[in-house]
Amino acid sequence: MSVLKSKEILSYKIQSFVVSLIFACGVFGAGANSSFAQQVGNTEKIRDLAATPEKLSASFAEIAKRVEPAVVNIDTKGKVPEIALKGEKPSSDQPDDILDFLRRQMPTRPSYAVGSGFIVDKSGYILTNYHVVEDASRITIKLESGEEFVAKIVGFDDETDIAVLKINTGRDLPFVALGDSDAARVGDWVLAIGSPFGLAQSVTAGIVSQTKRETPSVFRKFIQTDAAINRGNSGGPLLNMNGEVIGINSQIATMTGDSNGIGFALPSNEAANVYRQILQGGRVRRGYLGVDIDSVKSEFARVYNLPEAKGAIITNLSDKQSPAGKAGLQAGDIIVQFNGEIVQGATDLIQKIASVAPEKEVNVTFYREVGTQVERKTTVIKLGERPSKNLIAGDDAPKKLPVNAQKTPLEPFGLTLTELTPQLAAIYKLQGAKGVVVKNINPASFIADVKTSGGSDALNQGDLIQRINRVSVTDTKTFTETANKLKTGDAVVLHVLTPSLRGAQLRIVQFTVQ
């Protein structure tokens, strides 16, 4: 055999071996290849779900553009603290005017705060946190357009820290929709919009860190997020990638007062329930059983031979005439089912009861210790109404806070005025001057917000008003008659003497009636 022939035979054998090897690899490696192909397919699917940074950024921008017109800045002015002097009554040689003078030297300035909110109806209804507007004497809403409107509180729910406000603009407003907070998943992208530190329309992004985060309050199970939330963000919306509100930004966990990447938002489903009830009846009504309860733990379940460590133990009945008392429940009973649903523990039972409207009948299954046995029983209970924290002391029943409530008549422009007596003239060194003295300024009035060109308050307690719109003021009657002739939009010019160590200084106060 020639060398050439030998090489051809060897080449043929090598080729046959390689083909056999490839075939074998194809047969025995089929399963691995299939698995690999499936893994690649899943990876590609995940990549499809995860948008590129460019697409994600565009999504954020589109959501912000669409929602920002419905997000509002909320400025509040707190009530002036009332400071009483020691002693109940002045002595005979210490006239009231002296006490008034001393009170004026004490700090009585109102507090100011800023928060956020969002419009949920084109007619001007706004959702925010109750703590943003609590104890406010004046609430100012600033729209994205820069327009400002005074808001009224329609109602609030202290249990969930939600307040409903209303502004009247005379036109339809942009609003944002409430989404389904139960659909939120850990890892979902979210946006927070608000006014941190007063910086309106600030947008931050993050993810849902956890859902249904427990808190000391039974009615607050928060959505946790790492989107930056700071002071001033309270009341603003937490948005999903559809531009829907899934939460109201409410709290942060921090040691410094600033964002640490742990923020909490009240779920939109709870907010929607509160909003609906306030609009319908002016307040939130929740079911009430009238019992004190504790959760069943593993030790209790073992001792009482319960099938599982679930349920709520009645430790006390608030009243024999309570719904539970009327139904025959007793201390020591163990409630394990409420309207056919398993009761996980005390908190779960309270939430289940509260979710049912008062006066509704519910089925309750419970265990009761009878001698050495633990018997399973069922009863029907007509729920009462959970006592509200929103009642004013002395009220017999909750009252709806009307949107268009009649205002309590104020002194002209919110000013309490008094005649210039010889005693006051001596105190303020105004002998020989004429006019009326500003005794008090209602912090809820618009004139309390009037400033000088330097930014200080235009009017202060102790100022002497001498003229109003070129009319000389000699007594409170003259001032009141002139002021009452003015209407919203009219210009006002006051000539005012302000006492100082250097003597009385003349100032001109200018403003428009609001």
Side-chain angles (χ1 to χ4, degrees):
M1 182 180 293
S2 67
V3 174
L4 181 59
K5 186 68 173 178
S6 300
K7 290 182 178 179
E8 289 176 352
I9 295 172
L10 179 61
S11 175
Y12 173 78
K13 291 181 176 179
I14 292 173
Q15 291 176 9
S16 299
F17 173 74
V18 171
V19 171
S20 299
L21 180 61
I22 292 174
F23 176 75
C25 289
V27 172
F28 294 108
N33 287 339
S34 176
S35 176
F36 177 74
Q38 184 178 3
Q39 182 178 358
V40 170
N42 288 339
T43 302
E44 290 176 350
K45 184 177 180 181
I46 292 173
R47 286 175 180 169
D48 289 340
L49 290 174
T52 63
E54 292 79 11
K55 289 183 179 179
L56 187 61
S57 177
S59 298
F60 288 165
E62 182 60 31
I63 292 170
K65 179 181 178 181
R66 192 165 77 243
V67 174
E68 276 188 325
V71 180
V72 301
N73 180 78
I74 301 177
D75 289 314
T76 63
K77 177 190 288 187
K79 297 176 182 177
V80 176
E82 296 183 3
I83 303 175
L85 295 176
K86 293 182 178 180
E88 297 180 356
K89 296 182 180 179
S91 60
S92 58
D93 59 345
Q94 191 177 36
D96 290 342
D97 289 339
I98 299 296
L99 292 178
D100 289 338
F101 171 75
L102 293 174
R103 289 190 181 95
R104 282 193 288 272
Q105 311 311 309
M106 298 181 179
T108 57
R109 301 188 64 81
S111 60
Y112 294 86
V114 64
S116 307
F118 53 95
I119 304 169
V120 290
D121 185 88
K122 64 182 180 181
S123 62
Y125 285 100
I126 296 169
L127 282 181
T128 187
N129 285 137
Y130 175 54
H131 75 258
V132 170
V133 297
E134 186 177 9
D135 291 331
S137 62
R138 186 179 178 87
I139 304 169
T140 303
I141 302 297
K142 186 173 184 179
L143 305 182
E144 185 195 33
S145 62
E147 298 171 280
E148 295 186 357
F149 300 91
V150 176
K152 301 297 181 184
I153 298 179
V154 180
F156 64 92
D157 179 44
D158 195 42
E159 297 282 12
T160 55
D161 191 29
I162 290 177
V164 179
L165 312 180
K166 179 70 165 62
I167 57 174
N168 296 313
T169 63
R171 67 177 191 274
D172 290 348
L173 294 172
F175 63 94
V176 64
L178 294 175
D180 181 9
S181 54
D182 288 341
R185 303 173 302 172
V186 174
D188 281 349
W189 281 104
V190 288
L191 293 183
I193 305 180
S195 305
F197 307 108
L199 302 172
Q201 306 296 324
S202 295
V203 182
T204 57
I207 64 169
V208 173
S209 305
Q210 192 52 259
T211 59
K212 297 183 179 179
R213 179 67 73 189
E214 297 281 355
T215 69
S217 173
V218 174
F219 301 104
R220 301 181 198 176
K221 284 190 176 181
F222 288 123
I223 295 174
Q224 181 184 329
T225 179
D226 67 349
I229 297 175
N230 285 286
R231 288 168 289 183
N233 272 112
S234 288
L238 185 71
L239 304 153
N240 61 19
M241 296 305 289
N242 294 323
E244 300 168 329
V245 177
I246 60 169
I248 300 179
N249 299 321
S250 301
Q251 298 181 12
I252 57 175
T254 176
M255 299 294 290
T256 63
D258 300 328
S259 174
N260 274 340
I262 305 176
F264 302 99
L266 186 81
S268 59
N269 288 357
E270 183 63 38
N273 175 52
V274 171
Y275 171 65
R276 182 178 62 256
Q277 289 200 53
I278 287 177
L279 254 59
Q280 291 175 351
R283 59 192 176 93
V284 179
R285 303 180 71 219
R286 297 182 172 91
Y288 180 66
L289 200 58
V291 294
D292 296 329
I293 53 178
D294 198 357
S295 296
V296 171
K297 296 182 179 179
S298 58
E299 296 84 357
F300 188 95
R302 290 201 302 269
V303 170
Y304 282 82
N305 295 318
L306 301 182
E308 53 186 346
K310 294 180 179 179
I313 313 158
I314 298 177
T315 58
N316 182 54
L317 266 65
S318 59
D319 186 353
K320 290 183 179 180
Q321 296 304 310
S322 68
K326 290 180 179 179
L329 291 181
Q330 302 174 5
D333 288 346
I334 308 143
I335 299 176
V336 292
Q337 283 190 11
F338 182 86
N339 257 1
E341 296 182 355
I342 295 176
V343 174
Q344 302 295 327
T347 299
D348 182 49
L349 178 58
I350 294 173
Q351 292 170 343
K352 283 181 167 59
I353 296 170
S355 67
V356 179
E359 311 302 325
K360 292 284 187 179
E361 290 188 342
V362 294
N363 293 311
V364 174
T365 301
F366 62 97
Y367 286 109
R368 174 175 292 172
E369 185 177 14
V370 181
T372 59
Q373 302 297 317
V374 177
E375 298 180 357
R376 185 182 177 96
K377 297 177 179 290
T378 301
T379 188
V380 176
I381 301 177
K382 185 177 182 180
L383 295 180
E385 182 174 350
R386 184 178 179 85
S388 174
K389 294 182 179 180
N390 304 344
L391 294 180
I392 300 173
D395 282 0
D396 294 327
K399 292 181 175 61
K400 181 176 180 178
L401 301 175
V403 178
N404 298 315
Q406 294 295 320
K407 295 181 180 178
T408 303
L410 297 174
E411 298 292 334
F413 305 141
L415 300 174
T416 301
L417 305 173
T418 187
E419 309 288 345
L420 180 61
T421 63
Q423 294 93 334
L424 288 177
I427 291 173
Y428 292 118
K429 299 179 180 179
L430 295 172
Q431 292 90 339
K434 293 183 179 180
V436 291
V437 177
V438 177
K439 187 176 182 180
N440 185 52
I441 302 174
N442 190 321
S445 65
F446 73 88
I447 203 171
D449 295 326
V450 176
K451 305 293 182 182
T452 66
S453 56
S456 59
D457 291 337
L459 277 177
N460 296 280
Q461 292 178 346
D463 284 345
L464 182 72
I465 300 176
Q466 294 189 302
R467 301 184 74 194
I468 172 173
N469 283 7
R470 303 173 64 182
V471 176
S472 296
V473 176
T474 55
D475 51 35
T476 56
K477 181 181 179 181
T478 304
F479 184 91
T480 301
E481 288 177 348
T482 305
N484 287 342
K485 294 177 182 178
L486 300 172
K487 60 183 182 300
T488 301
D490 286 346
V492 179
V493 176
L494 303 179
H495 285 64
V496 177
L497 280 181
T498 298
S500 70
L501 295 177
R502 296 177 297 173
Q505 302 292 316
L506 177 64
R507 293 189 302 107
I508 306 297
V509 177
Q510 310 167 63
F511 59 90
T512 299
V513 179
Q514 297 180 21

